[in-house]
Amino acid sequence: MSALYATALNTFKEMGWLYREVPEHSVIEADFEAHHTKIPLHVQVFGETHIITVVSNSTLQVPPSHRLPVCELLMRTNKDLNLGNFELEWESGQVMFRVTNVFPPNRHDARIIASLVHSAVAEMDRLTPFLGEIIQTPKGELLLLKVADLMKREDLLPPVPEAE
């Protein structure tokens, strides 16, 4: 077990997050309850290169007929992101958010790992209602859908957490 993987496991334990390990791989899987949806997530550690990747997945599948407007949504969203990016697995219609960090050797910060997980969950939760609106649009009305206008809808955003 690499030191980075051990730090990732300890981070999940310290945060009280339920998780499961994938045997014989440096992978942690978890499910998070967010404001809009349940979010499956996995963390993969590449110990020798000190890299960690956190991927959250949408539980919504994008049908082939709706993939182009979803791609526009993802591209417009990615443009404004400072950390991570959204992706669409074209064949399956699976939407993912991926964020990666390269750590200096022997300097694996649990706060950074927790922040990566929080970001992956928050970003997928923020995107989910917009994705749902596109997927629920009847195929015949997709040409009328203006993704840029849809993204202006603040009623679809999760509430801002209160400061402690």
Side-chain angles (χ1 to χ4, degrees):
M1 175 186 305
S2 72
L4 180 55
Y5 186 64
T7 301
L9 284 173
N10 286 334
T11 301
F12 272 74
K13 289 175 189 170
E14 289 172 10
M15 296 301 290
W17 295 332
L18 297 176
Y19 66 92
R20 57 203 167 274
E21 292 182 70
V22 176
E24 299 185 27
H25 293 81
S26 296
V27 173
I28 301 167
E29 293 180 335
D31 296 304
F32 289 87
E33 289 291 337
H35 179 74
H36 289 113
T37 188
K38 186 176 190 175
I39 299 174
L41 175 135
H42 76 266
V43 175
Q44 186 164 10
V45 175
F46 304 92
E48 290 181 11
T49 53
H50 311 283
I51 296 172
I52 190 166
T53 299
V54 180
V55 179
S56 57
N57 293 296
S58 173
T59 56
L60 302 174
Q61 293 301 119
V62 181
S65 58
H66 289 63
R67 291 192 183 145
L68 288 178
V70 166
C71 284
E72 180 182 352
L73 172 69
L74 300 183
M75 289 181 350
R76 287 178 179 276
T77 303
N78 283 340
K79 181 179 175 220
D80 294 329
L81 289 175
N82 293 318
L83 188 66
N85 65 285
F86 283 98
E87 303 171 11
L88 174 67
E89 205 317 295
W90 190 261
E91 287 77 21
S92 69
Q94 177 67 57
V95 174
M96 301 162 276
F97 178 81
R98 182 184 317 271
V99 61
T100 300
N101 193 70
V102 180
F103 289 89
N106 304 315
R107 293 183 48 209
H108 311 132
D109 190 332
R111 294 171 301 175
I112 293 172
I113 296 170
S115 178
L116 295 172
V117 171
H118 281 141
S119 294
V121 171
E123 290 297 342
M124 188 57 73
D125 190 44
R126 182 173 66 95
L127 185 81
T128 294
F130 298 98
L131 189 58
E133 287 289 318
I134 293 173
I135 291 171
Q136 292 173 10
T137 299
K139 185 178 176 181
E141 295 176 22
L142 283 174
L143 290 175
L144 303 174
L145 179 69
K146 302 288 185 222
V147 174
D149 291 341
L150 173 65
M151 293 177 71
K152 293 176 186 174
R153 289 189 47 192
E154 292 186 17
D155 62 308
L156 298 177
L157 295 173
V160 176
E162 294 181 23
E164 293 180 19

